[in-house]
Amino acid sequence: MKKILIIQSAVISMLLAVIGMFVYVDIWPSFHDKYFSKKYIDSNVSDSAYVGLCYNKTLDMLSNESLDIQIYDDNSFMSRYRRWKYNKNSASDKEHNYYKNYLALGILKCNEPINLEIMESLQRQTAVEKFSHVTHVINSWLAVELYKKTKDEGQIKTIRNGLDYLYSAMDSDSLIHYWNNNLILVDGLGMYIPFLVSYYQTFGDEKALRLAQLNFDYFMNHGTSGHLPHWFINNNMGIGPNNWGRGISWYILGLLSLSEIEEKYKMEAKVLADNLLKLQSKPFIWNQLVGIEAYSTFDSTATIPILLLINKVYPELVKENLSQIMYNLKSITLEDGTVMAASGDSSMAPYLNRSKGSSEFAQGMLLWLLAGLNI
């Protein structure tokens, strides 16, 4: 009898635990959003005060050990259970830590003073135990930008290691693959292209510039349709839709860096900007799937880099509509300066992450944009 009671107690405890998890994952978020919703910044806050709030929040995010970006698109109990049971390759925050480099890059773009504590935090962000993936090269990009600002010789090792990794990772045609397969992802264009261009600008290494041009030109010629990038290239063919918002953002980062070097990239930037202006969901707002309203919502990881491009190509247009743009940005920013409406990581492509929240990428790009708006 005692054994039966123990078994019954164990079963009841397990059922209560499952019910509790279901309530916490599926029911509590809706209840929390309705009765304890986060407060967004007042649209009447001055632009300069807004910049200060966003800057301070970016510093907080950089020092935080955990990541804000949503890694998985599993907002229900059953989807999380399936991931726990069947997905043995779940990624850790450490594997996605490269997103924090965009916080650091955004901080460096700002005109705010950088004290010793902030500088040490930026320098720690460049550290890489071993270069084994394209994402690690963003650390080298950050190291170049730090070297430009401080002439700190301690950054040279990270810079050189990033360059050496790219030369070791490229194939016989000098193309750089994101993973160890035939695919060339648009994501990489927003990582190694800016690094190679910045390295060229700083050290005058034309070999690095030619590598950047070759890889971007290859994607521009084989991986775009209507001047909009597909998700990736396989065997000289663009694969996946050409309207993934953050995919366009990765493409923009590479394009903007090269547009500082050669006229043809300025022309490409203008054509891309013209096309994107036709695909706005609302004035100066772009969705996760650009140009599509159904099953697609506002995405700050798409909108903010697109605004970077528009500001570069048509600064007068941005200046004329600055009040609308700032209103849009404030409408998705919490009182503490956190920019929201950022889609999560999409490493499980071709399935896009529909989760929305805060993101290191969006936050860093916001500072970059605000610096360009000269507020």
Side-chain angles (χ1 to χ4, degrees):
M1 184 70 178
K2 186 176 180 180
K3 186 175 181 180
I4 293 174
L5 288 174
I6 292 173
I7 293 173
Q8 287 177 335
S9 297
V11 171
I12 292 171
S13 297
M14 184 173 292
L15 285 173
L16 289 174
V18 171
I19 293 171
M21 286 296 295
F22 172 77
V23 170
Y24 178 75
V25 174
D26 284 60
I27 299 176
W28 170 250
S30 298
F31 180 83
H32 182 273
D33 289 345
K34 183 175 182 178
Y35 296 102
F36 303 96
S37 59
K38 296 176 180 178
K39 294 184 178 180
Y40 285 79
I41 202 166
D42 191 323
S43 61
N44 293 320
V45 168
S46 70
D47 292 348
S48 59
Y50 175 73
V51 172
L53 285 169
C54 295
Y55 180 79
N56 289 331
K57 182 59 184 180
T58 305
L59 293 175
D60 290 342
M61 291 173 72
L62 185 64
S63 62
N64 194 343
E65 291 186 4
S66 61
L67 283 174
D68 278 37
I69 189 171
Q70 299 291 313
I71 302 300
Y72 297 104
D73 187 9
D74 47 11
N75 296 321
S76 69
F77 175 76
M78 287 306 299
S79 61
R80 292 191 185 189
Y81 171 76
R82 285 193 294 269
R83 173 162 63 87
W84 171 77
K85 185 172 178 62
Y86 300 111
N87 185 3
K88 303 305 180 183
N89 298 315
S90 296
S92 64
D93 274 5
K94 187 176 180 181
E95 292 176 57
H96 293 86
N97 197 52
Y98 65 87
Y99 281 114
K100 283 195 172 184
N101 287 306
Y102 292 98
L103 295 172
L105 288 163
I107 291 168
L108 286 175
K109 290 286 183 181
C110 282
N111 297 319
E112 300 290 332
I114 297 178
N115 60 32
L116 180 60
E117 182 182 358
I118 296 173
M119 182 57 67
E120 288 176 347
S121 179
L122 295 173
Q123 290 170 337
R124 285 194 298 271
Q125 189 59 36
T126 66
V128 180
E129 293 180 10
K130 180 184 178 182
F131 279 79
S132 58
H133 196 269
V134 165
T135 54
H136 295 149
V137 176
I138 315 172
N139 296 63
S140 300
W141 176 16
L142 174 59
V144 174
E145 299 305 321
L146 280 170
Y147 179 81
K148 287 180 182 178
K149 198 172 189 70
T150 66
K151 297 301 183 222
D152 175 17
E153 295 290 331
Q155 301 302 323
I156 297 296
K157 182 179 179 181
T158 300
I159 295 169
R160 301 291 187 191
N161 285 346
L163 191 65
D164 290 343
Y165 170 75
L166 290 179
Y167 286 137
S168 69
M170 66 187 188
D171 63 20
S172 58
D173 295 317
S174 298
L175 297 174
I176 299 167
H177 297 254
Y178 194 81
W179 290 314
N180 188 27
N181 56 26
N182 293 329
L183 305 181
I184 297 178
L185 274 66
V186 68
D187 309 49
L189 302 184
M191 301 173 186
Y192 56 78
I193 300 295
F195 162 60
L196 289 168
V197 173
S198 187
Y199 181 81
Y200 161 74
Q201 292 172 317
T202 307
F203 300 101
D205 187 339
E206 294 192 1
K207 182 181 177 183
L209 176 61
R210 288 195 298 272
L211 183 62
Q213 292 170 320
L214 185 150
N215 276 268
F216 194 86
D217 288 355
Y218 178 77
F219 208 101
M220 193 164 62
N221 294 329
H222 298 284
T224 63
S225 179
H227 298 269
L228 297 170
H230 293 281
W231 291 355
F232 52 85
I233 297 175
N234 189 9
N235 295 323
N236 296 335
M237 182 179 296
I239 305 294
N242 66 336
N243 66 337
W244 173 36
R246 193 160 64 254
I248 294 170
S249 297
W250 293 127
Y251 188 79
I252 285 171
L253 291 181
L255 180 58
L256 286 179
S257 62
L258 282 167
S259 70
E260 298 177 7
I261 305 298
E262 190 174 337
E263 187 66 27
K264 78 170 184 178
Y265 299 109
K266 290 182 181 179
M267 294 173 62
E268 181 67 17
K270 183 180 183 304
V271 174
L272 179 59
D274 289 341
N275 286 352
L276 289 169
L277 284 169
K278 298 173 185 175
L279 296 171
Q280 299 172 80
S281 297
K282 295 178 182 178
F284 300 98
I285 284 178
W286 288 265
N287 283 356
Q288 183 178 16
L289 294 173
V290 171
I292 294 179
E293 299 301 318
Y295 307 108
S296 179
T297 56
F298 173 66
D299 189 350
S300 57
T301 71
T303 294
I304 295 172
I306 291 174
L307 287 172
L308 270 175
L309 172 71
I310 304 298
N311 190 44
K312 185 74 172 180
V313 176
Y314 294 117
E316 289 303 316
L317 175 65
V318 170
K319 188 176 180 180
E320 292 167 5
N321 293 275
L322 186 59
S323 59
Q324 177 65 60
I325 291 169
M326 293 305 299
Y327 177 84
N328 292 346
L329 293 174
K330 291 173 185 177
S331 72
I332 57 163
T333 304
L334 300 181
E335 287 183 328
D336 66 355
T338 305
V339 64
M340 301 293 284
S343 61
D345 178 71
S346 292
S347 56
M348 299 301 289
Y351 304 104
L352 288 181
N353 192 331
R354 304 281 181 164
S355 298
K356 295 287 179 66
S358 55
S359 157
E360 287 75 11
F361 180 74
Q363 192 78 25
M365 289 295 100
L366 176 64
L367 287 195
W368 195 334
L369 172 63
L370 293 173
L373 297 177
N374 296 317
I375 294 172

